[in-house]
Amino acid sequence: MTQQNSESALEATQGRDAAGGEDHGLWWAEASIWTDRMKSALGNGVKGGNWFSLIDKVFRPSTLEAAWRKVEANKGSSGIDGQSLDRFAADAALYLTELHESLKSGSYTPSPVKRVDIPKGNGQTRPLGIPTVKDRIVQTALKMAIEPIFETQFREGSYGFRPERGCKDALREVDRLLQAGYTHVVDADLKSYFDTIPHDGLMARVAEKISDGRVLALIESFLRQDVMKDTEQWTPTAGTPQGAVISPLLANIYLHPLDLLMEESGYRMVRYADDFVILCWTAEDAEAALRQITAWTAANGLTLHPDKTRIGDAQEAGQGFDFLGYRFEGGRRYVREKSLKALRDKVRAKTKRNRGVSLDRIIADLNPMLRGWFGYFKHAVPSVHRDVDGFVRRRLRAILRRREKRSGFGRCLNDHKRWPNAFFASFGLFTLTTARLQARLPRCGN
């Protein structure tokens, strides 16, 4: 294939040896666990390539204390036992001591996960697992102990739920590759990935690096902990519970061999958790990449979604692809329609015409949301920002009409004259168009 030559394969590693990876500095790793000696072992390798004696790092009082602080900062709901963060905080020292003793003695057993359904649009829902506060602390401690071991092996093309990486980094890489001419794209979707990861295969991959039997047993206990929804209770036979602290790391571990396969084959894959695209030089390369992915997923107990997996030339109209909220097509970035709809729904919820608060308060509620949305979607085509600004002002004019006992949606010319754009600007309304213009101005230094 044209793409699979020595130069392409070298570039695809993006500065890392395809067999090993590199030390990231690990400034983010928990210092009480990952001492300089431990970090040195990561860089130099350990005997046999496997890590022993990790469980004591998990149940150390200092580790559990650090884990509790992370869980507390992340907030979240109570699990199946009803214990809130505030209730745990009231007697944290006692509870952490109990966790230390039960983990040290091997008597610790995770509680069932509370299953709730989260709306995700089109009348569909997404299952979310909520572990108890205690289980979240243990999972966080476990993650702090093992994440650096795997993180130093993960590839440059993997961006999801990793330290120092995020959606914006993945989007920049997609932009870079498209501009470099890799416009034939495999847009792949793994069907129900988090619910279908084979437990045995996942544990085998974890065991390639970790030989501490108690740590392996602890991980497996989280994979197999019961799930409760209303009065139903069952034990999962596959998958990692969405919402569990440890799940994203385990999901990345399972897909790591796919990252390696694509890299060693000379393909440019950009992956964020289970959402990934492969950007190729020719349509033939894209077809070959899709064949490889299809074979790999089938061999590893996963399934590509037949309706959501496709190949297209992103330069051609109608052949673009959606990725992380954006749509890439014809050399431009648009906002995916689903993302636009989600924003409009949030604006509608904050601008109901019968909302009995002042305009100042409504705008104060809108501004953080609009500012955050622009921060993520500021690279979209300018027309999107103008449309969003117009939609927000129409909603506000409709509120003002309602307060004057008049019906309507704030779209007529008289409404624009009575409440022009400058009127809302005087109340401090954040506008995406203005923010875009300001972002493009040169910054002067002293």
Side-chain angles (χ1 to χ4, degrees), residues 153-185:
Q153 303 299 312
F154 288 160
R155 315 314 302 162
E156 286 293 328
S158 169
Y159 292 88
F161 305 105
R162 294 183 59 192
E164 302 184 87
R165 294 179 153 244
C167 293
K168 293 181 181 180
D169 301 306
L171 291 166
R172 276 192 288 269
E173 179 63 5
V174 168
D175 260 339
R176 186 187 74 82
L177 290 169
L178 288 171
Q179 292 169 16
Y182 295 88
T183 62
H184 294 272
V185 179

Side-chain angles (χ1 to χ4, degrees), residues 329-344:
E329 189 169 317
R332 308 185 80 185
R333 273 204 218 182
Y334 300 86
V335 178
R336 192 171 77 160
E337 187 56 41
K338 190 175 179 181
S339 302
L340 272 175
K341 182 182 182 303
L343 175 66
R344 291 192 192 104

Side-chain angles (χ1 to χ4, degrees), residues 34-46 51:
W34 290 96
T35 60
D36 289 342
R37 185 176 66 83
M38 291 275 285
K39 290 178 182 178
S40 177
L42 272 178
N44 299 328
V46 292
W51 288 76

Side-chain angles (χ1 to χ4, degrees), residues 64-335:
L64 293 173
E65 173 68 25
W68 156 237
R69 294 304 171 200
K70 287 178 180 287
V71 170
E72 185 180 34
N74 288 335
K75 302 189 184 299
S77 304
S78 58
I80 203 71
D81 62 354
Q83 185 179 51
S84 66
L85 290 169
D86 288 341
R87 280 180 55 194
F88 189 96
D91 232 339
L94 173 62
Y95 292 133
L96 291 175
T97 299
E98 290 175 351
L99 281 176
H100 166 74
E101 295 297 338
S102 61
L103 286 165
K104 184 177 181 179
S105 67
S107 62
Y108 170 82
T109 302
S111 301
V113 173
K114 181 168 71 174
R115 169 71 65 89
V116 296
D117 292 322
I118 306 299
K120 68 171 190 175
N122 300 323
Q124 297 180 324
T125 60
R126 176 173 64 88
L128 179 69
I130 304 177
T132 63
V133 173
K134 291 179 181 179
D135 287 346
R136 298 207 294 269
I137 292 169
V138 175
Q139 286 191 28
T140 301
L142 177 60
K143 181 172 178 280
M144 290 192 302
I146 70 171
E147 184 174 29
I149 296 170
F150 296 97
E151 178 59 33
T152 53
Q153 303 299 312
F154 288 160
R155 315 314 302 162
E156 286 293 328
S158 169
Y159 292 88
F161 305 105
R162 294 183 59 192
E164 302 184 87
R165 294 179 153 244
C167 293
K168 293 181 181 180
D169 301 306
L171 291 166
R172 276 192 288 269
E173 179 63 5
V174 168
D175 260 339
R176 186 187 74 82
L177 290 169
L178 288 171
Q179 292 169 16
Y182 295 88
T183 62
H184 294 272
V185 179
V186 180
D187 182 9
D189 184 273
L190 290 171
K191 188 175 182 180
S192 302
Y193 173 62
F194 282 89
D195 293 329
T196 59
I197 301 173
H199 287 171
D200 290 345
L202 174 57
M203 289 306 302
R205 276 170 203 170
V206 174
E208 289 173 3
K209 293 295 176 185
I210 294 177
S211 291
D212 187 320
R214 291 183 62 187
V215 167
L216 294 174
L218 185 59
I219 295 171
E220 190 161 12
S221 73
F222 284 122
L223 290 178
R224 303 189 187 280
Q225 69 187 122
D226 281 1
V227 178
M228 288 192 70
K229 181 180 179 183
D230 299 325
T231 58
E232 295 181 78
Q233 182 169 341
W234 67 95
T235 302
T237 57
T240 61
Q242 294 191 53
V245 176
I246 199 73
S247 287
L249 174 60
L250 297 177
N252 276 332
I253 290 170
Y254 197 70
L255 287 181
H256 175 62
L258 177 61
D259 296 338
L260 279 175
L261 174 64
M262 292 293 101
E263 190 176 282
E264 292 167 352
S265 298
Y267 294 117
R268 275 76 170 168
M269 181 167 79
V270 180
R271 182 173 68 79
Y272 192 94
D274 59 333
D275 193 2
F276 61 91
V277 290
I278 299 104
L279 297 99
C280 303
W281 191 255
T282 68
E284 291 76 19
D285 288 339
E287 291 165 0
L290 180 55
R291 285 194 295 271
Q292 269 195 290
I293 293 168
T294 302
W296 187 91
T297 52
N300 287 271
L302 304 174
T303 306
L304 288 174
H305 199 299
D307 300 326
K308 297 181 180 180
T309 300
R310 53 184 293 277
I311 292 174
D313 182 351
Q315 291 295 95
E316 299 295 326
Q319 294 191 42
F321 60 96
D322 296 339
F323 188 60
L324 300 180
Y326 277 94
R327 180 162 184 82
F328 294 83
E329 189 169 317
R332 308 185 80 185
R333 273 204 218 182
Y334 300 86
V335 178

Side-chain angles (χ1 to χ4, degrees), residues 21-41:
E22 63 182 13
D23 186 350
H24 289 270
L26 299 175
W27 64 266
W28 48 268
E30 174 58 36
S32 65
I33 300 174
W34 290 96
T35 60
D36 289 342
R37 185 176 66 83
M38 291 275 285
K39 290 178 182 178
S40 177

